[in-house]
Amino acid sequence: MSLETEAGSRDAVAELLLSVADDEFVIGFWDSEWTGIAPMLEEDVATSSIAQDEIGHARALYELLATLTDDDADRIAFGRDSAAYRHAALLEHARGDWAFSVARRWLYETADAVRLSALARSRWEPLANLASKMRREETYHRMHADAWLRRLADGPRDVRARLAGSLVRLWPDAQEVFAPLAGEEELVRHGVLPDPMAALHATWQAEVRAILAPIVDGLAPAQPSADGRERRTDDFRWLHGEFTLVARSEAGATW
Amino acid sequence: MVSVAAGQTREQRIWGALAEIPDPEIPAISLVELGVIGEVRVDDAGRLAHIQLLPTFIGCPAIDVMRRQITERLTELEVAERIEVEVSFAMPWTSERISPSGRERLRLSGFAPPVMTDIQDLEELAVLPIAECPFCGSRSTTLDNPFGPTLCRAIYHCTSCRQPFEQFKRI
């Protein structure tokens, strides 16, 4: 397929790239909020390092998108109105307490791993290459998120309750990582996205339900929704104001 | 200045020059030893030199510095009219790309080189192997933090000589 000549395909690929890039970008900025105030020094370093990885992944994806749409990666990252971002509802919430951040990161890492394993098989080579490289780095993130989930789940009653409460609260929004994309049928038909989002969602849910069963009593049935990547909140509008501050204060400035 | 022996091809001159550019974060090792140079292509007329740069980690902030250093050095060398540095993921950088001399230089400057194994299975990557202490050679070491001061480093502690040390991460 030729993405450059088929406008419909190009728009669909752009939508896919933007959804993954915005997820990585926004969770990277939320994580960076912990720099200096994580529960311990090692965690300061780890969270900051993971945040840097995620923002780096977002940059590479924005650059790929910019090549496709003849745009500029910095413009896409910092020049959009808050309503134009396409991250999943899971990433709308402010960082909350440590248990909330651990719960969100674990839900996101598990979902991202399922999505990346599909993207690594994309028939569009630039995306498959980047996704394969991302998977290696994300393996460390997943390992870290697993370790924290176990640590809090095995903790005292208050810690377990905070973790379980956060998982229950985030559960509906976590489904939205797999919200249907505009042009998804086209992406699947061309093999850019090897499996539909609904199939990836089913894989993910089966995996995480089994792990969470001993930690949380009865997670409600939940499915992704059509507007799962379009719900903006005051939490995100605040973060958007923070991460665009430098770009807005000196329009067109270069480093 | 780079000394160029007579009879060297343009590619050889480029590889020679790149072998003298230090990694911006760990200057003991060169870009070639680190394995971040993928392909080097230059046409016979010397119009365009194309250098493929393979990031160790996607978000590595040193990439921009490397790109600038490569462009400056090759421009200075007058090896081609135009120098093009392409950041590429077509061939993923893995820790196996660090050369034997690069591994030795890492060790001499206090970094444990990544443990050598061919990683095909990502599950295997998550099982962090023991690192060898670069100071006393002991394998009696513990992982303090899989994340360190830069994206590519993990922090270990040696229980024999009681030194903390960093390992270039296996990826």
Side-chain angles (χ1 to χ4, degrees):
Chain A
M1 92 185 255
S2 170
L3 291 170
E4 289 70 21
T5 53
E6 288 183 36
S9 306
R10 198 181 53 212
D11 290 349
V13 175
E15 192 71 20
L16 172 66
L17 291 176
L18 196 61
S19 68
V20 184
D22 282 351
D23 281 355
E24 298 276 298
F25 195 62
V26 173
I27 198 163
F29 272 102
W30 283 130
D31 275 350
S32 74
E33 291 283 306
W34 282 107
T35 301
I37 53 166
M40 63 188 82
L41 179 62
E42 284 77 6
E43 200 43 48
D44 262 0
V45 175
T47 308
S48 306
S49 185
I50 291 171
Q52 195 182 0
D53 269 340
E54 303 294 25
I55 291 171
H57 297 170
R59 178 184 168 173
L61 288 158
Y62 287 140
E63 281 172 355
L64 196 54
L65 176 59
T67 313
L68 193 69
T69 57
D70 198 22
D71 202 337
D72 175 72
D74 276 346
R75 208 276 322 158
I76 303 170
F78 299 111
R80 280 179 294 159
D81 187 73
S82 62
Y85 285 76
R86 286 292 169 268
H87 53 276
L90 175 66
L91 310 169
E92 277 296 305
H93 307 266
R95 66 180 155 79
D97 64 12
W98 185 247
F100 187 81
S101 278
V102 166
R104 172 167 53 194
R105 177 149 279 290
W106 189 82
L107 289 167
Y108 180 69
E109 293 298 0
T110 51
D112 190 36
V114 171
R115 178 173 59 184
L116 280 179
S117 76
L119 296 180
R121 290 182 282 113
S122 175
R123 285 228 303 266
W124 188 41
E125 216 181 356
L127 180 57
N129 290 341
L130 182 56
S132 301
K133 180 71 177 154
M134 283 169 70
R135 282 185 81 199
R136 287 178 175 263
E137 299 179 11
E138 294 289 356
T139 303
Y140 282 96
H141 300 185
R142 173 67 197 272
M143 179 178 72
H144 192 68
D146 281 342
W148 268 108
L149 186 84
R150 278 197 303 272
R151 189 169 178 175
L152 299 192
D154 295 342
R157 185 196 297 265
D158 170 51
V159 173
R160 288 203 310 273
R162 284 199 204 194
L163 175 67
S166 298
L167 287 165
V168 168
R169 189 178 151 209
L170 288 167
W171 178 246
D173 286 348
Q175 319 301 313
E176 309 298 9
V177 174
F178 302 99
L181 295 168
E184 189 178 318
E185 275 175 35
E186 184 135 13
L187 292 173
V188 174
R189 188 155 45 85
H190 288 301
V192 175
L193 180 65
D195 304 302
M197 283 294 173
L200 299 178
H201 175 254
T203 303
W204 170 77
Q205 217 190 61
E207 184 195 333
V208 299
R209 271 188 182 280
I211 298 169
L212 294 180
I215 302 173
V216 186
D217 282 335
L219 285 168
Q223 290 295 324
S225 40
D227 68 345
R229 292 188 170 275
E230 286 164 24
R231 299 200 294 262
R232 300 292 79 98
T233 61
D234 284 344
D235 282 357
F236 177 69
R237 281 188 278 275
W238 173 83
L239 185 74
H240 177 262
E242 289 287 304
F243 71 62
T244 58
L245 184 67
V246 175
R248 282 186 289 115
S249 63
E250 193 69 51
T254 51
W255 299 110
Chain B
M1 286 300 291
V2 182
S3 60
V4 182
Q8 276 190 319
T9 65
R10 286 179 200 276
E11 267 101 359
Q12 285 168 333
R13 291 171 64 200
I14 292 173
W15 280 107
L18 296 176
E20 293 183 9
I21 302 177
D23 170 60
E25 285 179 351
I26 310 176
I29 180 171
S30 81
L31 298 188
V32 172
E33 286 170 319
L34 187 58
V36 293
I37 307 297
E39 276 179 11
V40 169
R41 284 199 316 267
V42 58
D43 56 293
D44 290 341
R47 286 200 184 86
L48 175 71
H50 178 94
I51 317 297
Q52 197 184 38
L53 185 60
L54 315 175
T56 53
F57 279 69
I58 297 167
C60 175
I63 283 294
D64 291 332
V65 180
M66 290 181 189
R67 187 204 287 267
R68 200 175 60 235
Q69 284 175 327
I70 293 170
T71 309
E72 280 172 8
R73 192 58 167 275
L74 296 184
T75 304
E76 205 177 87
L77 195 66
E78 295 180 347
V79 73
E81 287 164 33
R82 205 157 67 79
I83 312 296
E84 185 181 75
V85 182
E86 178 212 4
V87 175
S88 171
F89 302 104
M91 190 193 324
W93 185 91
T94 65
S95 22
E96 280 72 45
R97 291 188 60 88
I98 302 176
S99 73
S101 67
R103 295 174 59 83
E104 184 58 14
R105 281 180 200 274
L106 281 177
R107 201 182 58 75
L108 290 173
S109 52
F111 291 98
V115 173
M116 284 288 271
T117 42
D118 188 20
I119 310 154
Q120 298 302 328
D121 184 1
L122 288 171
E123 299 294 318
E124 209 182 298
L125 181 68
V127 183
L128 284 177
I130 292 295
E132 192 169 283
C133 174
F135 303 114
C136 74
S138 168
R139 288 179 77 94
S140 175
T141 58
T142 56
L143 174 69
D144 271 359
N145 196 342
F147 301 94
T150 72
L151 297 183
C152 56
R153 307 188 208 168
I155 304 171
Y156 282 77
H157 184 258
C158 176
T159 55
S160 299
C161 71
R162 296 171 191 270
Q163 284 290 318
F165 66 92
E166 292 170 19
Q167 184 199 43
F168 205 104
K169 244 152 126 168
R170 193 172 75 137
I171 194 139

